[in-house]
């Protein structure tokens, strides 16, 4: 993703999100964000987009073999989960004592 300015995303590591597009789409099951990759606009979500990776034996992994792991998905395919409303929500930003906080639009709750 080539942009002149660094993009700002409303999703951070540790947030709970729901997948709204793709093979693992389920708007009722919240999942945890493991990693955010802002320069590629991708996100690593727990239990989503599982791939099988073939690894060679190394000093750390003497067996090698086939490993199942999560692969990144586009950040546009997830939505932040609002625990109070129990639904996916959009996010607005407001200043609170000089600090920018994220607020869920469905319930008006501050997202930690």
């Amino acid at each position: 993703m080539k942009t002149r300015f660094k993009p700002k995303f409303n999703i951070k590591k540790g947030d709970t999100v729901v997948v709204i597009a793709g093979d693992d789409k389920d708007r009722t099951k919240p999942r945890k964000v493991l990693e955010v990759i802002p320069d590629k606009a991708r996100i690593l979500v727990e239990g989503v987009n599982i791939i099988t990776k073939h690894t060679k034996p190394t000093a750390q992994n003497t067996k090698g073999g086939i490993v199942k792991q999560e692969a990144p998905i586009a950040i546009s395919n997830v939505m932040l989960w609002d625990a109070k409303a129990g639904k996916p929500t959009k996010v607005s930003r407001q200043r609170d004592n000089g600090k920018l906080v994220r607020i869920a639009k469905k319930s008006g709750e501050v997202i930690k």
Side-chain angles (χ1 to χ4, degrees), residues 10-97:
N10 292 321
I11 298 170
K12 297 178 180 177
K13 181 181 174 181
D15 284 347
T16 51
V17 295
V18 287
V19 180
I20 58 169
D23 292 337
D24 298 301
K25 177 167 104 173
D26 189 3
R27 292 180 71 107
T28 59
K29 188 176 181 187
R31 300 166 190 258
K32 190 176 179 189
V33 175
L34 300 175
E35 185 183 349
V36 178
I37 309 161
D39 38 294
K40 292 186 179 178
R42 297 187 85 69
I43 189 170
L44 203 66
V45 183
E46 191 176 48
V48 174
N49 198 20
I50 301 290
I51 58 166
T52 53
K53 189 172 183 181
H54 298 263
T55 58
K56 284 188 173 182
T58 60
Q60 291 88 16
N61 183 14
T62 54
K63 278 223 171 206
I66 301 169
V67 178
K68 289 192 180 286
Q69 66 183 34
E70 291 99 354
I73 59 171
I75 202 161
S76 61
N77 292 347
V78 297
M79 226 172 156
L80 213 54
W81 179 256
D82 189 356
K84 188 176 179 186
K87 295 178 182 177
T89 183
K90 290 183 177 181
V91 178
S92 68
R93 296 175 182 202
Q94 287 182 355
R95 287 220 176 267
D96 187 35
N97 297 331

